[in-house]
Amino acid sequence: MMKKACWAALAACACALAWGEVPITNGTEWTVFRFENTIKDGSILDFSNILPADRPAGARHGRLVVDAEGHLVGEKSGERVRLVGANLNFDANFMDKETVDRLAKHFRQMGYNAVRLHHTDVLLMSGGWNGCWSDAIDEKMLDRLDYTFAAMKREGLYVTTDFYQMRRVNKAELPSLKLKENLDFGWFKGFLPIYDAAFEVWCKYPKKLMTHVNPYTKLAWKDDPALAFVVSANEDTLMSICGHRPANGDQKERRSSPRFEDAFHAWQKANEEDFALDGAADQDELWYDFIIEKGAGIQRKYVRYLNGTLGYPGLVSGVNWWDLKFSAYERGELSLVDNHGYADHPQSENNYTKWNQASNVKGHPCYAMPAIKAPTRIFGKPMAITEWQFCMPNRYRAESGPVMGAYSAFQDWDATFRFAWSHSAKSCREQTAMNAKSWFDLASDPLNQVSDRLNVLLFRRGDVSPAKERHCYAVTRKDAIASGMGDMWKVGRFPQDFTALAYRHAIGSQVVDEGHPARKGLTRLYAAKGCLITDEALLNGNVCLKLDKLPKTEWSDADVVSDTGELA
């Protein structure tokens, strides 16, 4: 008879095989690799010697502003600044001073010059996740966040943060809406464009944080030049929140129905004469027009409040999710374009996580990071990717640094932030092993850490030259609506032949209608069939071609070479 321990081991192996897992043991094929999140001063891994930090951040360059070419430059120095960094999430933003000091130095030695303080609102508020008041900030947690900001600034890192991420909003803050329960983050972001009361609640948090004087920097957050830019609300693309429709087209299945239905019909009634003139009678077209107008409108509202009412002189961004044409209308209202993208993002079904083990490079080139993000860049505005990662345990994730670094530099973007350094204070304080809850975190991933050194050199140091040519997709309302807007993967995307140009040239998009002229000096401007631009005022000296004039990219054994000749 087998002992119980043997039966337990056999059962464990059977379960592992059933779930497609393979036990790994030390031997000829695999070996144990021990690493520590420490960098010896002056060693080959100390990139502070290769890319000396400007300490404190903002002292030399001043606040970051946008130059005539649409890039981040120092207001004082006039020099181009590319930001490279990582995200800190949840309680990793609220650590003890010793740990924060050590981490800030470590980031400088990694070659980083920026950090994103993300998911701060969940723990910063009194009441945390559940039903906190929007200006009830926990003073102890605020002091820790202030110190994190100051320590990063001291080591030469610019800071960015978001004003709304994931916290729930107390129903008592919105008595006019007669809510039965507190709002989760999806509902609240959906309500912001349609209810003035929701916007007034949103204003409380940035007002409290930005006007507060950081005792460690002696400056209000809004006045600190080390605050590179802010994001009004994380991943707030309006169509992603309320615009989904099922295959049968049932309008009542919208995320925020019936409230969005009511708002839509009120808007439709108020604009009835305009639509009669346009001849737009189709309900889908009207719904998409409603989404475009409300989505762009809330972004204008954020900017007016932050730059105007609050007196923050810096850059404002948002709409940092989805890659569809219509988002150009929302992003066009902002001073900086932001987006998020992942390779090997884990997918979960029935509490079982499926891990992708495919190469990003050998996948479909138009859906590969970072090319898939390239069309969403708007020429004339800085481009940032504030979340990106090639997630473990994918065995090909070492591609991340060279691929992202090379093509971000080639596309001539302005900022990239790994998601994330860590989701927990514990993994910042002590060495933790890779586990199912840390698939995004560099702190427990030596492979992505060493790969990120290439990202820093290729992108921040500029080892790869920017593209010689700039090709732009002309977004029109007619084209955006005709392409569809309700599914981030199936409709509304930029054509694959245009996305494929990202491997040859710098690409981007721009709204070119309603009095929005194209930016001067583009190599080519492309428009969809039936939307070819002929108005000289909109062309602004550029030549507009139909999409069928795009060069076809054949993905075969032949190399696709950049117009600089550096990348293949």
Side-chain angles (χ1 to χ4, degrees):
M1 181 178 292
M2 299 180 80
K3 293 183 179 180
K4 289 184 178 180
C6 294
W7 278 112
L10 188 61
C13 286
C15 288
L17 291 173
W19 288 106
E21 299 172 356
V22 178
I24 295 175
T25 57
N26 194 33
T28 57
E29 188 172 355
W30 295 93
T31 187
V32 174
F33 177 76
R34 293 181 176 87
F35 85 109
E36 295 180 358
N37 280 323
T38 57
I39 299 171
K40 183 178 179 181
D41 291 342
S43 69
I44 194 171
L45 292 179
D46 184 356
F47 274 33
S48 61
N49 296 323
I50 300 173
L51 289 163
D54 295 322
R55 294 189 280 175
R60 176 186 168 195
H61 295 298
R63 188 178 295 279
L64 299 184
V65 296
V66 182
D67 70 3
E69 292 300 312
H71 292 303
L72 295 179
V73 297
E75 189 175 33
K76 286 170 57 177
S77 67
E79 297 175 11
R80 174 83 183 272
V81 178
R82 278 179 171 167
L83 301 178
V84 179
N87 285 250
L88 291 177
N89 296 340
F90 300 112
D91 67 343
N93 292 288
F94 305 99
M95 299 184 292
D96 63 275
K97 294 177 180 179
E98 181 183 354
T99 303
V100 173
D101 288 339
R102 186 170 63 249
L103 183 62
K105 178 185 177 183
H106 188 88
F107 281 174
R108 173 169 59 82
Q109 292 178 308
M110 286 282 296
Y112 293 165
N113 63 346
V115 62
R116 183 185 185 216
L117 308 182
H118 188 44
H119 292 311
T120 54
D121 65 344
V122 172
L123 298 176
L124 184 59
M125 314 304 293
S126 299
W129 282 92
N130 294 302
C132 56
W133 289 83
S134 298
D135 55 358
I137 290 179
D138 185 313
E139 294 299 324
K140 180 181 178 181
M141 299 300 277
L142 178 58
D143 184 75
R144 291 188 172 192
L145 188 65
D146 281 337
Y147 191 81
T148 300
F149 186 120
M152 296 298 168
K153 176 182 177 179
R154 184 183 66 238
E155 293 294 333
L157 281 81
Y158 279 91
V159 175
T160 182
T161 193
D162 319 76
F163 293 136
Y164 186 79
Q165 293 117 42
M166 294 187 74
R167 66 180 176 85
R168 294 179 178 89
V169 173
N170 198 310
K171 62 183 179 181
E173 288 195 84
L174 295 162
S176 62
L177 300 189
K178 299 178 180 178
L179 300 169
K180 295 181 179 179
E181 56 188 19
N182 295 338
L183 290 174
D184 73 10
F185 61 91
W187 282 96
F188 185 64
K189 285 186 285 189
F191 283 0
L192 282 165
I194 64 171
Y195 292 124
D196 290 338
F199 179 76
E200 290 169 7
V201 168
W202 172 88
C203 291
K204 294 179 182 180
Y205 179 87
K207 180 180 180 181
K208 191 77 175 267
L209 182 64
M210 294 286 273
T211 59
H212 153 79
V213 174
N214 185 330
Y216 303 104
T217 64
K218 311 302 181 185
L219 292 170
W221 278 53
K222 71 182 181 65
D223 299 325
D224 200 315
L227 188 60
F229 60 92
V230 296
V231 172
S232 50
N234 183 58
E235 295 190 345
D236 64 330
T237 307
L238 185 54
M239 181 60 78
S240 73
I241 299 164
C242 68
H244 291 287
R245 290 190 179 189
N248 62 10
D250 181 2
Q251 295 182 20
K252 297 301 180 184
E253 292 296 322
R254 291 180 189 144
R255 167 71 197 270
S256 298
S257 180
R259 291 181 181 270
F260 253 88
E261 281 293 321
D262 295 341
F264 169 57
H265 290 307
W267 173 87
Q268 185 179 3
K269 184 177 180 180
N271 291 275
E272 187 173 359
E273 289 187 4
D274 291 339
F275 285 109
L277 291 173
D278 287 346
D282 181 85
Q283 285 294 301
D284 280 350
E285 290 186 19
L286 291 178
W287 169 250
Y288 292 152
D289 262 318
F290 168 71
I291 291 292
I292 288 174
E293 184 170 313
K294 289 296 182 181
I298 189 60
Q299 302 306 324
R300 282 195 300 272
K301 212 168 179 180
Y302 290 140
V303 172
R304 282 199 303 266
Y305 178 77
L306 294 169
N307 289 155
T309 305
L310 211 56
Y312 165 61
L315 305 176
V316 179
S317 191
V319 198
N320 47 17
W321 193 30
W322 281 29
D323 311 319
L324 309 189
K325 300 173 189 174
F326 79 91
S327 294
Y329 287 90
E330 296 173 271
R331 292 180 172 126
E333 301 293 337
L334 301 164
S335 42
L336 178 143
V337 176
D338 182 12
N339 209 342
H340 296 164
Y342 295 87
D344 325 318
H345 194 298
Q347 304 296 316
S348 297
E349 287 184 11
N350 301 322
N351 296 319
Y352 173 66
T353 300
K354 294 183 176 181
W355 304 100
N356 177 20
Q357 288 295 335
S359 163
N360 181 70
V361 171
K362 295 180 180 179
H364 194 295
C366 295
Y367 287 85
M369 272 289 292
I372 191 173
K373 304 296 154 184
T376 66
R377 179 255 198 94
I378 296 176
F379 287 115
K381 296 179 184 289
M383 176 68 172
I385 305 290
T386 54
E387 290 184 21
W388 75 274
Q389 184 61 298
F390 288 38
C391 302
M392 61 179 171
N394 188 290
R395 70 188 68 180
Y396 297 100
R397 65 189 185 278
E399 297 170 353
S400 61
V403 171
M404 189 68 180
Y407 281 100
S408 296
F410 177 66
Q411 290 297 320
D412 208 11
W413 293 345
D414 295 272
T416 63
F417 295 78
R418 283 267 192 174
F419 188 90
W421 180 261
S422 177
H423 279 68
S424 75
K426 181 179 180 180
S427 67
C428 293
R429 286 194 302 265
E430 59 192 69
Q431 203 70 45
T432 57
M434 290 189 289
N435 62 74
K437 293 183 179 181
S438 65
W439 52 66
F440 296 106
D441 292 356
L442 263 69
S444 54
D445 185 357
L447 192 57
N448 261 332
Q449 277 196 42
V450 74
S451 184
D452 216 29
R453 306 310 177 91
L454 299 180
N455 172 44
V456 167
L457 297 177
L458 294 169
F459 179 62
R460 184 186 164 197
R461 190 169 72 171
D463 287 7
V464 167
S465 305
K468 294 178 180 179
E469 297 185 8
R470 298 186 300 173
H471 294 248
C472 183
Y473 189 99
V475 176
T476 64
R477 188 168 295 222
K478 179 180 178 181
D479 180 28
I481 290 175
S483 299
M485 294 162 53
D487 188 306
M488 68 179 290
W489 294 112
K490 296 180 180 178
V491 296
R493 305 194 67 83
F494 292 89
Q496 289 187 356
D497 285 331
F498 181 75
T499 301
L501 282 179
Y503 297 100
R504 301 180 186 273
H505 312 296
I507 67 170
S509 56
Q510 185 186 342
V511 171
V512 187
D513 61 11
E514 301 178 342
H516 298 282
R519 184 170 177 80
K520 287 186 177 180
L522 300 171
T523 309
R524 288 285 186 273
L525 187 67
Y526 295 97
K529 182 180 180 181
C531 298
L532 185 66
I533 310 300
T534 56
D535 189 331
E536 287 299 323
L538 296 179
L539 284 172
N540 207 6
N542 292 294
V543 175
C544 188
L545 302 175
K546 292 181 180 180
L547 282 174
D548 58 13
K549 299 292 185 181
L550 275 168
K552 300 295 181 183
T553 300
E554 299 296 334
W555 302 103
S556 62
D557 292 336
D559 287 338
V560 178
V561 182
S562 67
D563 63 16
T564 59
E566 291 182 344
L567 302 177

